[in-house]
Each structure stands twice: as C-alpha cells, then as structure tokens.
C-alpha cells in the first residue's frame, strides 16, 4: 500500500470547515445530493463571508449539522473529535479576498496558517483517513501570456492572501512527510457560481449592474483569469478525496481563460438578455479605476490539469457561457439573498476600496 495511505470507509464522517462560505456550501450540497452515506459536521466562524442563508435549503437534512466556531480553536477541535469520530477533514475555511489581505494581513495569518495547523494537529492525534486542504492556483504566482502551472511549478505568491495559502500548503506537506497525515492538496482556478459573496469580480459586477451602479474594472481590465464553475470544482474535490493519492497535489482548472474586461462585457450581454434593459445600458456603467493591488496584481493564472484527469477521469463539464448565464439567473432570482448577506461591514469595506475612486 502507498505510503501513509489509509483506506477510506464507505460511510464517511466529515468535518467540513468553512461550509457556510461560497465553495464550502456548494460542496456540502453536492455531497448530500450525490451520496447517501455521509455525515457532515460543518464548522464555520461565520465571518462577513460566511452565511447560514447559503445552507437554508438543507437545514432539515439530518446528515448535516452546523457548529459556529473558529478552526484556530484547538480546544474546540479536540472536543469535536471526542464527540464524533471524523474520518475525513475538508478544509475550506479561510480568509479569501486578495484586496482585503492588502488592507489587513493578520486574519489571513490567523486562519489560513494557524487554523490549518490546528486541524493538522488534530488529524495527527486522531488518525483521520483523509485531510483535504483546499488551496489555490494563486500560490504559483503570475504568468506571462504563455505557459501553464503544473503541480511541480515553484511557489511564488505575490500578495498576503496567496502567501498565507502557500505557507499552509507547505505546512500540510510537512505533516504528510513528517507525521504521515494522509493529506491531499487541491489547487483550483477562479470559481464562480451561486452563493459567491459579492466582493469577488463576477458577483460584484452582477450586483452593481442590477442596481445601476458603476462596474469598477481595475486598470484596463487586461488581467487574465481562468474560470471554473463551482460545481465542477466540487465534483473534482469529491473525486480527489475518494480516488486521489495521499501526499499529492492536484490542480483543478478549466480551459476558459479570459481578460477581466471581457468577463464584464459578457455579464453585460447576458444581463441584457435576462432583463428589459439593453447591453449598452449596462456597458455604460463600466468604469476603469486605479488598480488597488498595484504591483501585487497577478497578470495571469492558468493551470495544467492533466494530473487529475489522468488519475480520476475528471474534467470540467460546464462551459463558461452556460455557467455564467446560470449564475446571472441565480443572482436575479435571489436578490433577497444578496441583501441578507451584505452587512454594514460590507458597506464600510466597499467605500474604503472603491469610495475614493
Ligand atoms: P469564502 O470567503 O466564500 O468562504 C470562507 C468561509 O470560511 C466563510 O464561511 C467563513 O466564515 C469561513 N471562515 C473564515 N475564517 C474562519 C475560521 N477561522 N474558522 C472557521 N471558519 C472560518 O471562500 P471561498 O471562495 O468559498 O473559498 C473556500 C476555499 O477555497 C478557501 O480556502 C480558498 O482559499 C479556496 N479557493 C477559492 C477560490 C475561489 O475562486 N473562490 C479558488 C481557489 C481556491
Ligand atoms: O485564482 C483563485 C483565486 O481567485 C482564489 O484563491 C481567491 O480566493 C479568489 O478571491 C480569487 O482571487 P482573484 O483576486 O483572482 O479574484 P477577484 O474576483 O477578487 O478578482 C478577479 C480579477 O478581477 C482580478 O484580476 C481583479 C479584478 N477585479 C476584481 C474586483 C473585485 C476588478 O477588476 N474589479 C473588482 O471590483
């Protein structure tokens, strides 16, 4: 048997952290919809980005229970392990927004590094069968127009968020090598889809456009991202958890690479098709602003995802035009969700970052 591999039982008892956030809530829903033999404890601090509204449709499902708490709280983690015999941890919990990491780095160190460490310590003590660390393509740094990052690429994080995620990845790998914690790291491209907090590019543009507000594009909008529909990522994480090799890293990418301005124009076009306004009305809202990330703004991310394809057969199945249309429809039909997740904190953050521009 492979080094440190511990067989996964059929019945999974999972500790999922950050499950009230964007990808975590989609992942929990994905598991509940696709597997009967899962028991999920969802540990989430409910920061500004975590919202129980993201889980309201599954609140009566007995296979899921929610605990409000911090992954850095070792005593709490210990108590949870004593109460429930978890065999899997999937760690989504993180501070995730690059712009915020440049305003205040400390929560990123506390949660992304120290919090991950607390979970690794518990995994070591209680012999979990899998620890899935949810990482990001941003740890590789920035690309020029050519090339893609593979799992072998060197880590070159350029902002406090990506530096904290890269640090966590290295600590994870050291716990695999040093203590045999059976872990797997996934690094994915930019996700989009339902339940994404409206501070990230796509939901922020949809929200602002629906409200007739400016669409703030950093610089000239020439930076390039690769877009992955969130449910494609959830399926990939599930497959890696069950079929991936411990000690390995898996990139989860897609083939949809585009400049930010092109994404914003596509949102305008799709919104025009879904509402009574025309494309020109939405495009007139586009406003180019000074780039708040300055030199720390990574130009391009792109992932080689052959490894996950070869290991599990996974590939993305939602093309960007379809996924974006679905996402836009979801935000149009869930205006109440938008209002319920944004708080006074959001307004304060918004005027700090965009107000003076
Ligand atoms: P998100 O910001 O929507 O959600 C993060 C969740 O973590 C929130 O529910 C928040 O309350 C919770 N949380 C924060 N600090 C916590 C703490 N100390 N203890 C417990 N819970 C805490 O983030 P997301 O976009 O869903 O990202 C989830 C994971 O995926 C992160 O690890 C992120 O680095 C990674 N990732 C995200 C993307 C993307 O495009 N969104 C891409 C690649 C990787
Ligand atoms: O690549 C994966 C990463 O994707 C994840 O690890 C992060 O958690 C996630 O936040 C995301 O990071 P980005 O910085 O790429 O995402 P964001 O949506 O914030 O920005 C995408 C691009 O759009 C980026 O080049 C900056 C630009 N942008 C963003 C905002 C919020 C704008 O032009 N205007 C905006 O208002």
């Amino acid at each position: 048997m492979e080094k440190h591999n511990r067989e996964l039982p059929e019945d999974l008892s999972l500790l999922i952290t950050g499950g009230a956030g964007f990808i975590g809530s989609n992942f929990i829903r994905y598991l509940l919809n696709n597997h009967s033999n899962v028991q999920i404890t969802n540990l989430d601090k409910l920061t500004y980005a975590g919202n129980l509204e993201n889980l309201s449709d599954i609140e009566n499902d007995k296979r899921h229970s929610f605990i409000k708490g911090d992954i850095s709280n070792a005593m709490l983690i210990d108590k949870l392990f004593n109460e429930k015999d978890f065999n899997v941890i999937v760690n989504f919990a993180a501070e995730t927004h690059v712009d915020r990491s440049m305003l205040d780095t400390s929560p990123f160190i506390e949660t992304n590094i120290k919090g991950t460490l607390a979970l690794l310590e518990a995994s070591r003590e209680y012999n979990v069968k899998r620890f899935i660390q949810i990482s990001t393509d941003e740890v590789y740094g920035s690309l020029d127009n050519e090339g893609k990052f593979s799992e072998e690429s060197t880590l070159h994080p350029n902002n406090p968020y990506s530096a904290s995620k890269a640090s966590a990845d290295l600590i994870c790998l050291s716990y695999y090598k040093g203590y045999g914690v059976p872990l797997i790291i996934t690094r994915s491209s930019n996700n989009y889809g339902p339940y994404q907090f409206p501070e990230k590019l796509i939901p922020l543009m949809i929200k602002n456009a629906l409200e007739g507000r400016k669409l703030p594009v950093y610089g000239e909008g020439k930076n390039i991202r690769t877009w992955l529909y969130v449910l494609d990522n959830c399926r990939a994480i599930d497959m890696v958890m069950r079929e991936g090799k411990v000690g390995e890293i898996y990139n989860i990418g897609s083939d949809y690479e585009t400049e930010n301005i092109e994404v914003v124009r596509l949102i305008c076009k799709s919104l025009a098709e879904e509402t009574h306004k025309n494309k020109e009305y939405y495009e007139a809202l586009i406003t180019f602003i000074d780039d708040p990330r300055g030199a720390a703004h990574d130009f391009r991310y792109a992932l080689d995802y052959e490894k996950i394809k070869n290991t599990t057969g996974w590939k993305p199945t939602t093309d960007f035009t379809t996924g974006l249309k679905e996402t836009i429809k979801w935000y149009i039909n869930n205006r109440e969700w938008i209002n319920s997740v944004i708080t006074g904190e959001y307004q304060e953050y918004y005027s700090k970052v965009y107000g003076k521009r």
Side-chain angles (χ1 to χ4, degrees), residues 18 20-24 43-47 49-51 69-72 91-96 111 134-136 161 165 188-191 196 200:
F22 164 48
I23 308 176
L43 174 65
D44 195 298
K45 188 178 173 181
L46 297 183
T47 66
N51 294 288
D70 191 326
I71 58 164
S72 315
N91 182 27
F92 290 96
E95 290 291 338
T96 62
T111 290
I134 306 299
S135 185
T136 168
Y161 161 68
K165 293 295 287 186
S188 85
S189 306
N190 285 58
N191 284 221
Q196 187 169 30
K200 309 283 166 62

Side-chain angles (χ1 to χ4, degrees), residues 285-312:
L285 300 172
I286 295 176
T287 312
F288 295 96
I289 66 171
D290 288 346
D291 193 333
R293 301 182 186 186
H297 198 163
D298 290 336
F299 170 61
R300 172 174 170 255
Y301 304 137
L303 290 177
D304 172 337
Y305 61 93
E306 283 300 305
K307 183 170 167 180
I308 185 175
K309 261 170 88 183
N310 294 336
T311 311
T312 68

